[in-house]
């Protein structure tokens, strides 16, 4: 009976998978903002960067930021280490398939990390690496992991020239897989011309333009209500 209720509780956990149109688009930045907003609503938050590459001399460029934020927002995670947040790491800053020399993704490690984190949170953000079609190993692309982990997708896209093409390709990929997903634009200071060169296309085609810096509260509502 106890095991049955544990399974039910696990199924009730909310999972959001943060992915992007490419690398260096703002997945971790967006994840940090989501964690802050959900925590402000009294929700116990957790986050896992499933695989991080470019980890050298114990420095995790994304994982360290995530751990620091989590420990500031969720008191239950004070004893967690960066290895709990980033269960698989490689030194070479490349796609996981390359960085691991083609090693198969160890789902036991990932599932164990998720189970440990979800014991202390009600909402878990899973962060991918690179874009949707980054090869994780010889069998899986990053896009495959969204459904595998029963998560709602969040596509982070950019606001510079070329974002129309990049965004539409990624949205089509998600739609072809029947993946429930929201989308958000991470506009940087140098993207001041976005409202002139790209945004009109999205608005004309009834594609909602949510921005991380402006609409994080709305984005959280959208994701939570999927």
């Amino acid at each position: 009976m106890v095991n049955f209720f544990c399974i039910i509780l696990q199924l009730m956990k909310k999972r959001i998978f943060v992915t992007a149109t490419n690398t260096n688009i703002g997945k971790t930045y967006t994840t940090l903002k989501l964690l802050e907003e959900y925590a402000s609503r009294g929700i116990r938050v957790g986050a896992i960067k499933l695989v991080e590459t470019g980890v050298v001399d114990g420095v995790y460029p994304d994982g360290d930021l995530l751990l620091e934020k989590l420990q500031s927002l969720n008191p239950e995670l004070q004893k967690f280490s960066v290895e709990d947040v980033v269960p698989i790491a490689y030194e070479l800053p490349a796609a996981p398939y390359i960085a691991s020399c083609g090693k198969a993704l160890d789902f036991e490690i990932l599932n164990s990390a998720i189970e440990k984190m979800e014991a202390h949170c009600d909402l878990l953000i899973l962060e991918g690496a690179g874009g949707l079609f980054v090869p994780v190993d010889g069998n899986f692309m990053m896009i495959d992991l969204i459904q595998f982990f029963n998560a709602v997708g969040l596509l982070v896209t950019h606001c510079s020239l070329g974002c129309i093409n990049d965004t539409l390709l990624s949205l089509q990929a998600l739609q072809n897989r029947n993946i429930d997903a929201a989308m958000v634009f991470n506009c940087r200071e140098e993207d001041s011309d976005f409202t002139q060169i790209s945004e009109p296309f999205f608005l004309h085609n009834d594609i909602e333009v949510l921005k991380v810096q402006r609409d994080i509260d709305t984005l959280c509502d959208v994701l939570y209500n999927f």
Side-chain angles (χ1 to χ4, degrees):
M1 184 67 70
V2 174
N3 289 336
F4 172 77
F5 283 112
C6 286
I7 292 172
I8 294 298
L9 287 172
Q10 289 287 33
L11 290 174
M12 291 172 62
K13 301 289 185 179
K14 186 73 177 182
R15 293 178 181 176
I16 298 168
F17 194 108
V18 177
T19 185
T21 53
N22 209 320
T23 190
N24 197 31
I25 298 298
K27 292 187 300 296
T28 300
Y29 174 76
T30 302
T31 296
L32 294 172
K33 292 298 183 182
L34 290 172
L35 291 171
E36 290 174 353
E37 176 63 25
Y38 281 125
S40 74
R41 303 181 182 194
I43 296 173
R44 295 186 306 160
V45 293
I48 289 179
K49 175 91 174 180
L50 295 170
V51 182
E52 183 167 9
T53 62
V55 175
V56 181
D57 295 331
V59 177
Y60 293 69
D62 295 334
D64 290 333
L65 292 174
L66 292 171
L67 177 62
E68 181 181 6
K69 180 62 67 177
L70 286 171
Q71 291 182 332
S72 72
L73 298 174
N74 187 343
E76 296 183 35
L77 303 180
Q78 291 303 312
K79 293 185 178 180
F80 273 51
S81 67
V82 70
E83 289 83 3
D84 293 316
V85 177
V86 183
I88 298 177
Y90 300 107
E91 184 173 337
L92 184 68
Y97 173 74
I98 302 297
S100 69
C101 297
K103 182 179 179 181
L105 189 64
D106 193 328
F107 283 97
E108 286 191 16
I109 290 177
L110 296 181
N111 284 322
S112 178
I114 289 172
E115 182 179 354
K116 181 177 180 180
M117 184 70 71
E118 285 190 328
H120 300 279
C121 71
D122 302 307
L123 181 144
L124 175 64
I125 298 180
L126 300 171
E127 185 180 322
L132 288 169
F133 286 96
V134 164
V136 180
D137 61 16
N139 298 307
F140 293 94
M141 299 289 186
M142 198 60 62
I143 191 172
D144 298 314
L145 303 185
I146 304 175
Q147 289 177 312
F148 182 88
F149 288 114
N150 297 313
V152 172
L154 173 60
L155 176 69
V156 182
T157 187
H158 61 97
C159 298
S160 56
L161 188 62
C163 71
I164 294 175
N165 176 75
D166 296 345
T167 301
L168 293 182
L169 285 173
S170 293
L171 285 176
Q172 185 178 56
L174 290 166
Q175 292 165 0
N176 288 344
R177 299 288 189 96
N178 295 315
I179 296 174
D180 290 331
M183 180 179 68
V184 68
F185 290 83
N186 180 34
C187 295
R188 294 164 176 165
E189 290 183 10
E190 61 269 26
D191 297 323
S192 58
D193 55 358
F194 172 71
T195 56
Q196 292 180 307
I197 65 172
S198 299
E199 187 173 17
F201 170 84
F202 294 109
L203 297 176
H204 179 74
N205 288 276
D206 295 323
I207 298 175
E208 188 173 18
V209 176
L210 296 178
K211 299 180 182 180
V212 177
Q213 300 83 351
R214 183 190 68 191
D215 304 309
I216 195 67
D217 54 342
T218 301
L219 179 63
C220 284
D221 289 339
V222 170
L223 290 167
Y224 204 80
N225 291 323
F226 260 107

